């Protein structure tokens, strides 16, 4: 049997919980939205494939070229360790890791990353963008598109926004066009039937 | 009728406060009318919970479709809608139906799933990478667990157990350690204890008991760093023996064997492990130079394996002392598994002849089987009798497959063992009927 006072406490606690249940997702959105609006734009070259996540649906697994750094001269790195990839844009505007730093670099653009492995001067990084979520038919179409014509694969890249080491993926581009625009042009979207 | 009962029950606290009736009378009226209010029966309640679960999961699938036409703002609105509906249902339940178990479980389950759907859709909208999958599960579970206590609802706790076990496996991979599993597990425990105290044999407590034991077993397996090879042998031996003893300390007297999850899991675990440890390969890697060296390994988390073992030992020994005082041989046989495994674990070294390890284990398993069989015969327990027979036969069969005996001899032995099984059962039945 619940007394009135007890019930009031439960209700107050529930209101607190409900607020927290809004606050967490809202703060997630805020951080990403402010990065998208105020962040610096970077492009990353990639080669996608297609897996599936039972909770979040279909996605393209993104393999960023910049995730392999070939010029490490510092002390041996431990797999799994967190560090900061300092970025620069090349002449075509694509991102390039110029060095790896143990602390956030002051003025330059950077991304927080994890070491996957290191072999001599080569370091494989895990950057925050490894998935692009897509509607299931679209994901299937992209997968077939890539598989049917692997030799003449169109160049693929993503555009991201960076702010204080935090990055948000903005859009996936096929042949310099946003993915859905490209698929529409190719007559692959919307899917038949 | 229901509306009047609901009104009456809501009035009770006021009547007590104003001194019209005393606390005992209020409690008796409450207990008398409560069944009228929630008289939907367990079948109906399960249907409500199943409905909430299916709707919640359906929402996740709809969201996972990744609607391509939606802009970011539409997605944001959509991602919050199940959460808003879930919260409204829970608020309504707390205000209007605080006595209805169906409403509490159903609305709690729906809101629990909605939290995951909301965060998941935001992650999806912003193409969040896999780097932080563990973080996603952790946030979800932390925002969901208070529902268990606010609503006194058990299905959300079952979802929570599944979620934190999933978190432990993912975090072990992504963060290199998953020690947070333990405080998370402890956060769910008071609800289980409360339910077991209230009504240890009802369906809800049974489900909670099964799930709690399975969660702690899966969580232990996930969080062990396995830095010291073979440390899992004493850890799991102690864990199963402790689960067995927990049954005898607090949960004796179930109306039937099937309603003793702790006993079933404890007995099955002790028997399973003792049979497993009779194989030479179980002891192979112990004390070898092998240590875990992948990047996943974290030294401080490796140390925690010993903390887990020490905690388990304290818990197990605390319960064992009671058994020793009472000189209960049967219980001592089962709960004593660590007393055999730990010395053997300490003895094991790469150059220890395997016979020193396997022989005592075989002996223990054999004596365990005989003691159980004898207990069954003496007290006329068919279950004990058959469990005892099963242990002895399994042991014989296992050694049989180990050895290089010809098929004919194995065949004859199978027939003899089968006949023995039937004969013993027949004998016991005759004796019970006589």
């Amino acid at each position: 049997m619940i007394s009135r006072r007890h019930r009031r406490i439960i209700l107050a606690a529930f209101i607190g919980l409900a607020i927290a249940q809004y606050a967490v997702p809202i703060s997630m959105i805020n951080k990403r939205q402010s990065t998208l609006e105020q962040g610096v734009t970077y492009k990353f070259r990639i080669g996608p494939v297609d897996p599936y996540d039972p909770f979040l649906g279909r996605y393209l697994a993104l393999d960023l070229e910049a995730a392999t750094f070939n010029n490490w001269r510092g002390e041996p790195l431990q797999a799994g360790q967190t560090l900061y990839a300092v970025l620069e844009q090349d002449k075509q505007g694509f991102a390039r890791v110029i060095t790896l730093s143990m602390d956030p670099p002051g003025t330059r653009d950077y991304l927080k990353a994890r070491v996957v492995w290191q072999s001599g001067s080569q370091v494989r990084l895990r950057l925050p963008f490894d998935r692009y979520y897509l509607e299931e038919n679209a994901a299937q179409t992209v997968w077939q598109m890539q598989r049917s014509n692997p030799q003449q694969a169109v160049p693929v890249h993503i555009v991201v926004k960076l702010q204080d080491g935090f990055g948000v993926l903005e859009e996936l581009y096929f042949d310099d066009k946003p993915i859905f625009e490209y698929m529409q042009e190719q007559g692959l979207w919307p899917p038949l039937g | 009728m229901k509306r009047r009962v609901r009104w009456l029950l809501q009035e009770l606290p006021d009547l007590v406060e104003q001194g019209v009736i005393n606390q005992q009378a209020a409690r008796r009226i409450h207990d008398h009318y409560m069944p009228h209010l929630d008289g939907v029966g367990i079948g109906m309640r399960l249907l409500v919970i199943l409905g909430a679960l299916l709707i919640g999961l359906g929402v996740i699938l709809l969201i996972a479709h990744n609607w391509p036409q939606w802009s970011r703002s539409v997605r944001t609105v959509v991602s919050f809608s199940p959460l808003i509906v879930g919260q409204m249902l829970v608020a309504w339940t707390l205000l209007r139906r605080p006595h209805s178990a169906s409403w509490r479980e159903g609305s709690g389950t729906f809101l629990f799933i909605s939290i995951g759907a909301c965060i998941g859709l935001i992650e999806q909208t912003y193409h969040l990478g896999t780097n932080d999958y563990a973080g996603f599960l952790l946030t979800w579970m932390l925002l969901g667990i208070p529902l268990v206590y606010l609503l006194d609802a058990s299905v959300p706790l079952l979802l929570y157990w599944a979620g934190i076990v999933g978190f432990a496996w993912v975090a072990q991979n992504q963060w290199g350690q998953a020690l947070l599993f333990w405080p998370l597990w402890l956060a769910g425990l008071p609800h289980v204890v409360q339910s077991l105290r209230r009504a240890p044999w009802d369906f809800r407590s049974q489900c909670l008991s099964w799930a709690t034991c399975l969660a702690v077993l899966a969580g232990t397996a996930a969080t062990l760093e396995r830095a010291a090879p073979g440390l899992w042998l004493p850890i799991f031996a102690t864990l199963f023996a402790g689960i067995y003893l927990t049954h005898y300390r607090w949960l004796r007297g179930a109306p039937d064997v099937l309603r003793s999850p702790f006993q079933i899991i404890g007995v099955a675990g002790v028997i399973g492990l003792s049979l497993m440890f009779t194989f030479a390969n179980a002891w192979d890697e112990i004390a070898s130079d092998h240590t875990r060296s992948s990047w996943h390994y974290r030294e401080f988390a490796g140390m925690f394996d010993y903390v887990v073992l020490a905690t388990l030992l304290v818990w197990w020994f605390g319960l064992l002392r009671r058994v020793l005082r009472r000189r209960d041989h049967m219980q001592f046989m089962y709960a004593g598994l660590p007393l055999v495994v730990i010395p053997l674990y300490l003895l094991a070294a790469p150059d220890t002849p395997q016979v020193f390890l396997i022989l005592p284990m075989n002996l223990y398993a054999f004596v365990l089987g005989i003691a159980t069989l004898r207990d069954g015969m003496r007290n006329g327990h068919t279950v004990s009798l058959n469990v005892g027979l099963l242990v002895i036969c399994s042991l014989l069969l296992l050694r049989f497959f180990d050895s290089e005996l010809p098929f004919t001899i194995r065949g004859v032995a199978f027939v003899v063992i089968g006949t023995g099984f039937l004969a013993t059962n027949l004998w016991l039945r005759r004796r019970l009927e006589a």
Side-chain angles (χ1 to χ4, degrees), chain A:
Chain A
M1 198 179 55
I2 308 165
S3 71
R4 289 256 152 113
R5 194 168 152 263
H6 195 168
R7 228 171 95 187
R8 271 200 289 274
I9 295 173
I10 289 181
L11 272 175
F14 175 66
I15 292 170
L17 175 67
I19 292 170
Q21 285 171 350
Y22 286 120
V24 170
I26 286 174
S27 75
M28 285 169 67
I29 292 177
N30 264 349
K31 189 170 178 193
R32 283 157 187 82
Q33 207 56 46
S34 89
T35 306
L36 279 179
E37 281 157 19
Q38 294 155 24
V40 188
T41 308
Y42 268 88
K43 294 196 284 185
F44 285 89
R45 280 203 189 86
I46 53 152
V49 283
D50 168 65
Y52 170 75
D53 185 306
F55 282 106
L56 304 173
R58 289 266 176 209
Y59 61 88
L60 302 174
L62 306 178
D63 179 19
L64 276 69
E65 278 180 16
T68 310
F69 179 63
N70 290 315
N71 215 3
W72 177 246
R73 295 213 175 77
E75 60 197 66
L77 297 169
Q78 238 194 335
Q81 101 179 61
T82 303
L83 41 69
Y84 302 88
V86 183
L87 298 173
E88 197 181 68
Q89 295 190 0
D90 64 12
K91 280 174 195 153
Q92 290 134 353
F94 283 101
R96 204 164 59 92
V97 178
I98 48 169
T99 183
L100 302 175
S101 154
M102 298 301 137
D103 307 297
T107 51
R108 319 188 75 150
D109 293 327
Y110 66 97
L111 264 178
K112 210 168 162 182
R114 275 197 168 175
V115 177
V116 182
W117 49 256
Q118 181 212 350
S119 170
S121 62
Q122 203 173 49
V123 183
R124 178 74 181 170
L125 299 168
R126 186 186 299 225
L127 295 172
F129 327 104
D130 55 356
R131 286 182 169 193
Y132 184 88
Y133 291 95
L134 264 184
E135 194 267 345
E136 51 208 306
N137 289 319
Q140 195 69 19
T141 311
V142 173
W143 186 64
Q144 278 167 358
M145 199 163 78
Q146 295 233 314
R147 208 175 56 155
S148 60
N149 202 358
Q151 264 77 40
Q152 295 175 342
V154 293
V156 183
H157 74 266
I158 51 170
V159 168
V160 308
K161 298 279 188 178
L162 295 186
Q163 193 178 35
D164 303 329
F166 183 75
V168 179
L169 201 163
E170 191 177 54
E171 187 54 283
L172 174 70
Y173 289 83
F174 270 65
D175 211 6
D176 281 330
K177 298 178 189 85
I179 169 124
F180 278 104
E181 203 182 304
Y182 176 80
M183 290 206 307
Q184 270 167 359
E185 266 181 26
Q186 301 285 316
L188 298 167
W189 191 260
L192 296 171

Side-chain angles (χ1 to χ4, degrees), chain B residues 10-314:
Chain B
Q10 278 174 2
E11 286 300 302
L12 286 177
D14 278 354
L15 294 176
V16 174
E17 265 171 37
Q18 289 160 19
V20 182
I21 53 173
N22 62 19
Q23 190 72 39
Q24 285 81 10
R27 162 75 51 195
R28 278 202 299 276
I29 294 173
H30 177 269
D31 291 349
H32 176 74
Y33 279 107
M34 200 52 197
H36 293 271
L37 202 59
D38 209 35
V40 288
I42 200 152
M44 188 67 195
R45 204 176 299 168
L46 281 179
L47 281 180
V48 172
I49 293 164
L50 193 68
L53 207 62
L54 285 175
I55 295 172
L57 292 174
V59 170
I60 288 195
L61 278 182
L62 282 175
I63 286 173
H65 177 69
N66 278 317
W67 302 88
Q69 304 88 337
W70 292 354
S71 64
R72 278 212 181 92
S73 42
V74 174
R75 278 165 175 273
T76 309
V77 173
V78 171
S79 60
F80 278 98
S81 52
L83 190 66
I84 295 169
V85 173
Q87 288 184 345
M88 277 160 60
L89 284 173
V90 170
W92 189 81
T93 304
L94 285 174
L95 287 169
R96 301 279 157 174
R97 295 282 185 279
H99 300 291
S100 162
S102 308
W103 270 104
R104 291 197 317 261
E105 298 284 355
S107 63
T109 303
F110 183 79
L111 180 53
F112 194 96
I113 296 176
S114 302
I115 302 166
C118 175
I119 309 173
L121 184 57
I122 292 165
E123 303 228 327
Q124 191 200 69
T125 305
Y126 292 94
H127 305 288
L128 206 83
T130 44
N131 258 353
D132 210 21
Y133 212 85
F136 162 62
L137 284 171
L138 179 63
T139 316
W140 180 3
M141 294 306 123
L142 286 177
L143 288 175
I145 179 70
L147 289 173
V148 173
Y149 294 97
L150 291 177
L151 287 163
D152 187 20
S154 301
V155 181
L157 184 66
L158 299 182
L159 297 173
Y160 175 78
W161 283 150
I164 61 168
V165 169
F167 160 78
W169 286 99
V170 176
Q172 187 73 25
N173 258 322
Q174 278 185 354
W175 298 351
Q177 50 85 16
L179 298 183
L180 256 180
F181 170 81
W182 292 105
L184 290 173
W185 185 76
L186 286 175
L189 210 53
H191 179 77
V192 182
V193 173
Q194 194 188 26
S195 175
L196 281 171
R197 273 200 180 149
R198 224 168 11 199
W201 321 127
D202 80 349
F203 185 67
R204 164 160 141 151
S205 298
Q206 295 301 301
C207 291
L208 286 173
S209 302
W210 279 104
T212 310
C213 287
L214 295 178
V216 77
L217 288 167
T220 308
T223 52
L224 279 193
E225 278 295 309
R226 301 169 195 87
L231 198 61
W232 69 274
L233 285 92
I235 287 182
F236 274 95
T238 318
L239 184 56
F240 277 115
I243 290 175
Y244 174 84
L245 285 172
T246 303
H247 166 82
Y248 280 98
R249 175 69 180 84
W250 288 291
L251 298 163
R252 283 189 94 146
D256 53 73
V257 182
L258 283 177
R259 273 191 260 185
S260 313
F262 282 83
Q263 189 184 25
I264 297 174
I265 293 173
V267 167
V270 168
I271 291 174
L273 287 184
S274 20
L275 290 176
M276 208 194 250
F277 297 166
T278 59
F279 283 100
N281 354 12
W283 304 87
D284 264 358
E285 280 196 342
I286 298 178
S288 63
D289 285 338
H290 164 87
T291 46
R292 205 161 152 229
S293 57
S294 81
W295 72 268
H296 297 301
Y297 175 55
R298 294 276 184 281
E299 210 167 337
F300 70 93
M303 289 305 292
F304 198 75
D305 284 5
Y306 294 98
V307 177
V308 169
L309 179 59
T311 314
L312 285 172
L313 281 172
V314 170

Side-chain angles (χ1 to χ4, degrees), chain B residues 333-396:
Chain B
M333 274 307 299
Y334 277 90
L337 177 65
L339 293 176
V340 183
V341 173
I342 293 173
L344 291 180
Y345 173 76
L346 296 173
L347 181 77
D351 53 351
T352 312
Q354 282 181 332
V355 68
F356 286 148
L357 306 169
I358 302 169
L359 201 66
M361 271 326 295
N362 274 284
L363 207 64
Y364 170 76
F366 188 69
V367 175
L368 189 70
I370 295 284
T372 316
L373 182 69
R374 203 175 127 242
D375 182 61
M377 284 172 152
R378 260 195 183 169
N379 304 322
H381 284 164
T382 334
V383 178
S384 296
L385 177 98
N386 279 303
V387 169
L389 278 174
L390 204 72
V391 175
I392 298 167
C393 295
S394 309
L395 192 63
L396 290 174

